Amino acid sequence: MSINWNGRTVLVTGAEGFIGSTLVDLLVDRGATVRAMVHYKPYAEKGFLARYFDDPHSPVEMIAGDVGDAGRVMDAVAGCDTVFHLAALIGIPYSYDAPGAYVRTNVVGTENVAEACRRHAVRRLLHTSTSEVYGTAQTAPISETHPLQPQSPYSASKIGADMMALSHWHAFELPVTVVRPFNTYGPRQSARAVIPTILAQLHAGAETIRLGSLTPTRDFTYVTDTASGFLALADCDRALGESVNLGTGREISVGDLAAALITASGREARVVADPARLRPSGSEVERLLSDNTRAREWAGWQPHVSLEDGLRRTSRWVAENIHLFSPGRYQV
């Protein structure tokens, strides 16, 4: 039987982000009281959670802060049943320029969250990983026992964060699960990711779509499927102290993805490789394909949105929100 979220207080770190805000919506729909930890911004921009913050009877409480601040995290976790830790510094290209920032936010921030969960005896911590920790697939599909390969400072910081979370299971019996989404996409995703990058260019009328390498393959999961995976794993005792993939088990090359997005958008364009968008040769992850056996068999999770349907939904959202993007600029 799945968890009854009514009356449960949960914390979502990184709550204003793409996956985080979708997870908040899902938790509210299920009746939870949500603390949304968001990065402090002095200009009061509320993003995708604005409707909750403007409602005096909202089931969502905003807590501005930074996971790098241990005291602030400790206060945010107090009294929570479940903590979903999604806050992270993301984006591979920027990690080449500022690797230390990734260590501070992703590794130290995760330690702060795990320690606060231990001190306050939360029922469950769900820590967010990424398929990037696997690097280029040595075997496919990729199971959770695949070697971890730090092919970028970003992936190295996430490997460190995963190990920090799991160390609290082994050392302190903290009830933690590492949730490892493959390439999540959908409405609200920023232009740093390949799908909104392509769609923003298409809906801005570009006749030439500029991308990095066209040959790598990825396993794309629609954002509501990823969010439902977090909830499924929050109720899965078998996943305690373990890492669990959330992916579809289907791969597509970046080049074929671009063609599918051109079809989904109803536009016409040609695709070219842009050298400025290429990763360093030793850092490019050539293949990611998920083995989602654990998620299916342990937690009863499976994706419901097909790639074709998900791309159409995402295309409509980008077209309606083109003002959020700068299609002519490479977003690191």
Side-chain angles (χ1 to χ4, degrees):
M1 180 180 294
S2 62
I3 287 178
N4 180 354
W5 291 98
N6 283 310
R8 293 179 184 265
T9 298
V10 304
L11 173 68
V12 179
T13 71
E16 63 186 337
F18 158 51
I19 301 175
S21 64
T22 305
L23 180 59
V24 169
D25 288 343
L26 187 55
L27 285 162
V28 169
D29 288 345
R30 300 286 179 89
T33 299
V34 181
R35 290 181 186 168
M37 189 169 187
V38 303
H39 202 275
Y40 172 72
K41 295 182 290 296
Y43 41 87
E45 189 274 325
K46 299 173 183 176
F48 299 122
L49 298 179
R51 66 189 179 283
Y52 296 121
F53 302 152
D54 293 337
D55 178 0
H57 305 292
S58 172
V60 179
E61 174 192 2
M62 181 178 72
I63 298 178
D66 188 320
V67 293
D69 182 340
R72 189 62 168 158
V73 171
M74 192 69 70
D75 291 342
V77 170
C80 287
D81 170 86
T82 306
V83 173
F84 297 92
H85 175 41
L86 285 83
L89 191 55
I90 57 176
I92 294 165
Y94 184 56
S95 77
Y96 303 136
D97 297 330
Y102 284 72
V103 173
R104 287 191 295 274
T105 298
N106 297 349
V107 182
V108 177
T110 297
E111 157 60 19
N112 290 340
V113 171
E115 180 62 14
C117 288
R118 181 168 79 96
R119 295 291 183 185
H120 290 296
V122 302
R123 182 191 63 84
R124 189 68 54 91
L125 166 62
L126 288 303
H127 163 71
T128 309
S129 181
T130 168
S131 58
E132 285 285 329
V133 301
Y134 294 125
T136 297
Q138 296 181 8
T139 58
I142 298 172
S143 75
E144 293 83 356
T145 60
H146 187 283
L148 305 182
Q149 302 180 96
Q151 290 183 225
S152 67
Y154 165 67
S155 65
S157 73
K158 292 299 288 183
I159 291 170
D162 294 356
M163 296 304 105
M164 185 60 71
L166 290 173
S167 76
H168 281 66
W169 162 258
H170 294 293
F172 309 116
E173 298 184 345
L174 177 70
V176 58
T177 296
V178 172
V179 185
R180 191 163 284 153
F182 276 60
N183 292 74
T184 302
Y185 73 100
R188 305 179 182 175
Q189 190 170 27
S190 73
R192 62 162 191 84
V194 64
I195 288 176
T197 290
I198 295 171
L199 287 172
Q201 292 180 68
L202 287 169
H203 287 299
E207 297 180 352
T208 300
I209 304 303
R210 301 186 179 280
L211 298 171
S213 178
L214 304 180
T215 57
T217 66
R218 295 292 185 266
D219 182 335
F220 289 98
T221 308
Y222 194 68
V223 63
T224 53
D225 284 330
T226 297
S228 69
F230 275 88
L231 296 195
L233 288 167
D235 193 29
C236 179
D237 289 345
R238 180 68 181 83
L240 287 172
E242 301 283 358
S243 300
V244 181
N245 292 337
L246 294 179
T248 67
R250 173 185 176 183
E251 64 184 325
I252 185 172
S253 71
V254 173
D256 288 344
L257 174 69
L261 286 166
I262 290 170
T263 299
S265 69
R267 304 278 180 162
E268 293 185 3
R270 67 187 184 94
V271 178
V272 299
D274 180 355
R277 300 172 186 241
L278 294 174
R279 296 192 195 183
S281 59
S283 187
E284 181 62 79
V285 175
E286 295 293 342
R287 188 182 189 193
L288 289 173
L289 174 62
S290 170
D291 178 345
N292 61 17
T293 302
R294 285 186 178 183
R296 286 187 292 103
E297 295 185 354
W298 293 1
W301 174 85
Q302 61 180 349
H304 294 286
V305 180
S306 70
L307 180 62
E308 291 75 17
D309 186 21
L311 294 182
R312 286 191 294 268
R313 296 186 196 186
T314 308
S315 178
R316 288 194 295 270
W317 183 85
V318 171
E320 293 166 359
N321 294 274
I322 194 66
H323 61 284
L324 299 177
F325 298 90
S326 301
R329 185 179 68 192
Y330 175 38
Q331 180 71 46
V332 300

